[in-house]
């Protein structure tokens, strides 16, 4: 929900109908890309005085409250916790997705950004669709084709281009550990996207609110513990950044995504995987004077080439629909 890349990739089995993007859809896409790219800058400001777990939990609670209010205001409700004397499968899936795709990444990204730049964190998000390809082959009965294998190998080569220059001669350092944390975080997003395909049918805005509430609850005890241990004094700038992260890149972005899928389809939305890392790079350079190295460019370009080789569908479908538009808007969030 937070980052566009956390959505399931478009495949023959999981794809929603490809619809014709309107000017409003393009505006939503630009908005989602900007919000997603800016989230890494927001994290950088937040971790200046707030512990990573506090950043994650605070962001999740703000987003959960925001989306829950939106859900009730638009006539949706939470499904019951107990169905026919048993725990609701929808809530069970929401809890599992919250743990893997929200609580863990929302902690690991701030943790990593204590040691690496925001633009590098944004670049690592580009690798997430390739992790999803492998996990979908293992757990979602989606064949690992030759193109998917080649694309994944290209993506891994790109990751090596990012992480190897950080390795010192005498072993691990903070930068390497941070980048390994980013890989784990993107893997968590990928795991949650595969689980999302098997989740019971629940209105998108309701399920999004369910996941955010569960994730916030899961991360809160750890956040309280680390806050008390660190005796941190959270600045006003950090609190403002946490609030921004919760309302805009997490909460409002989710609402835009819901409406965009309904209007233009998941293929159109998946194109943002190619653009969001670029937005993170621009924000990092403009706001913090972060340095974009040749290794960063090489790594990102190689990863994106891998994503296209493994999953050309989103880009090719968009090009085809722009040339031959049709209207088919029967999806409901």
């Amino acid at each position: 929900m937070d980052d566009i890349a956390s959505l399931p990739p478009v495949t023959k089995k999981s794809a929603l109908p490809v619809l014709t993007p309107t000017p409003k859809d393009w505006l939503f896409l630009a908005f989602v890309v900007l919000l997603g790219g800016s989230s890494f800058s927001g994290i950088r400001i937040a971790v200046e005085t707030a512990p990573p777990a506090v950043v994650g939990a605070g962001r999740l609670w703000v987003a959960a409250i925001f989306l829950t209010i939106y859900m009730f205001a638009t006539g949706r409700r939470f499904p019951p916790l107990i169905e026919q004397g048993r725990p609701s499968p929808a809530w069970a899936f929401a809890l599992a997705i919250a743990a893997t795709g929200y609580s863990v990444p929302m902690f690991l990204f701030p943790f990593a950004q204590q040691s690496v730049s925001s633009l590098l964190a944004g670049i690592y998000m580009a690798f997430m669709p390739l992790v999803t390809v492998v996990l979908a082959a293992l757990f979602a009965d989606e064949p690992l084709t030759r193109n998917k294998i080649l694309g994944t190998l290209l993506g891994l080569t790109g990751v090596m281009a990012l992480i190897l220059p950080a390795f010192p001669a005498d072993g691990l350092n903070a930068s390497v550990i941070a980048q390994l944390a980013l890989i784990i975080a993107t893997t968590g997003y990928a795991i949650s996207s595969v689980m999302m395909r098997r989740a019971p049918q629940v209105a998108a805005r309701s399920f999004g609110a369910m996941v955010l509430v569960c994730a916030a609850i899961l991360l809160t005890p750890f956040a309280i513990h680390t806050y008390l241990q660190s005796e941190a004094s959270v600045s006003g700038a950090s609190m403002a950044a946490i609030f921004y992260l919760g309302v805009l890149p997490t909460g409002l972005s989710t609402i835009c995504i819901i409406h965009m899928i309904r209007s233009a389809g998941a293929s159109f939305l998946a194109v943002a995987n190619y653009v969001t890392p670029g937005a993170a790079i621009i924000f990092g350079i403009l706001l913090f004077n972060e340095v974009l190295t040749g290794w960063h460019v090489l790594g990102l370009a190689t990863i994106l080439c891998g994503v296209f080789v493994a999953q050309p569908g989103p880009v090719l479908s968009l090009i085809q629909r722009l040339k031959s538009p049709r209207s088919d808007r029967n999806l409901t969030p």
Side-chain angles (χ1 to χ4, degrees):
M1 305 286 172
D2 171 36
D3 293 286
I4 199 66
S6 66
L7 291 172
V10 179
T11 66
K12 290 182 180 180
K13 288 187 177 183
S14 65
L16 293 169
V18 180
L19 308 176
T20 305
T22 66
K24 184 178 180 180
D25 296 324
W26 284 105
L27 181 62
F28 274 142
L29 180 66
F31 193 55
V32 167
V33 167
L34 287 174
L35 291 179
S38 72
S39 66
F40 304 101
S41 296
I43 291 172
R44 170 165 173 163
I45 296 171
V47 296
E48 289 179 356
T49 59
V54 173
V55 174
R59 173 184 188 177
L60 286 167
W61 274 117
V62 171
I65 293 170
F66 182 85
L67 197 58
T68 299
I69 292 172
Y70 172 75
M71 177 194 70
F72 281 111
T74 54
R76 301 294 189 186
R77 297 292 183 270
F78 287 126
L81 285 170
I82 304 297
E83 293 181 357
Q84 298 178 347
R86 298 180 180 180
S88 165
W91 278 103
F93 268 89
L95 183 63
I97 291 169
T100 57
Y102 286 82
S103 296
V104 172
M106 294 293 180
F107 163 70
L108 288 179
F109 270 98
F111 168 78
Q113 287 189 230
Q114 294 178 118
S115 305
V116 300
S117 63
S118 65
L119 68 80
L120 181 57
I123 288 172
Y124 267 97
M125 279 303 301
F127 185 60
M128 178 263 170
L130 295 176
V131 182
T132 306
V133 164
V134 176
L135 292 174
L138 294 174
F139 302 109
D141 300 322
E142 295 185 12
L144 195 60
T145 64
R146 182 175 59 183
N147 281 358
K148 289 181 179 180
I149 294 172
L150 177 59
T152 301
L153 291 176
L154 279 173
L156 288 172
T157 303
V159 170
M160 291 300 102
L162 294 173
I163 198 170
L164 285 179
F167 267 99
D170 56 350
L172 296 178
N173 60 15
S175 176
V176 174
I177 293 172
Q179 291 185 63
L180 293 174
L182 292 173
I183 293 173
I184 295 172
T186 55
T187 301
Y189 282 135
I191 292 171
S192 68
S193 73
V194 173
M195 287 193 293
M196 192 85 72
R197 304 179 191 188
R198 298 181 178 273
Q201 292 296 317
V202 178
R205 70 198 74 171
S206 298
F207 195 74
M210 291 162 61
V211 169
L212 289 171
V213 168
C214 290
I217 292 172
L218 288 173
L219 192 54
T220 294
F222 184 46
I224 293 174
H225 173 74
T226 56
Y227 179 78
L228 294 176
Q229 289 293 317
S230 67
E231 299 181 352
S233 178
V234 182
S235 68
S238 290
M239 287 190 289
I242 292 171
F243 185 80
Y244 169 81
L245 289 167
V247 172
L248 294 179
T250 311
L252 188 59
S253 181
T254 297
I255 295 172
C256 292
I257 288 169
I258 289 170
H259 287 285
M260 195 164 28
I261 291 178
R262 180 183 184 186
S263 176
S267 291
F268 177 70
L269 186 60
V271 175
N273 288 326
Y274 295 87
V275 188
T276 300
I281 290 171
I282 292 171
F283 278 114
I285 293 173
L286 293 180
L287 297 180
F288 307 111
N289 293 316
E290 294 178 348
V291 178
L292 181 67
T293 68
W295 287 108
H296 291 157
V297 175
L298 177 62
L300 177 59
T302 307
I303 291 172
L304 291 181
C305 284
V307 173
F308 180 76
V309 170
Q311 296 179 311
V315 173
L316 297 180
S317 295
L318 178 59
I319 294 172
Q320 180 182 1
R321 293 303 166 186
L322 290 175
K323 291 181 178 179
S324 178
R326 72 180 176 89
S327 180
D328 180 9
R329 306 181 183 279
N330 297 321
L331 298 176
T332 57

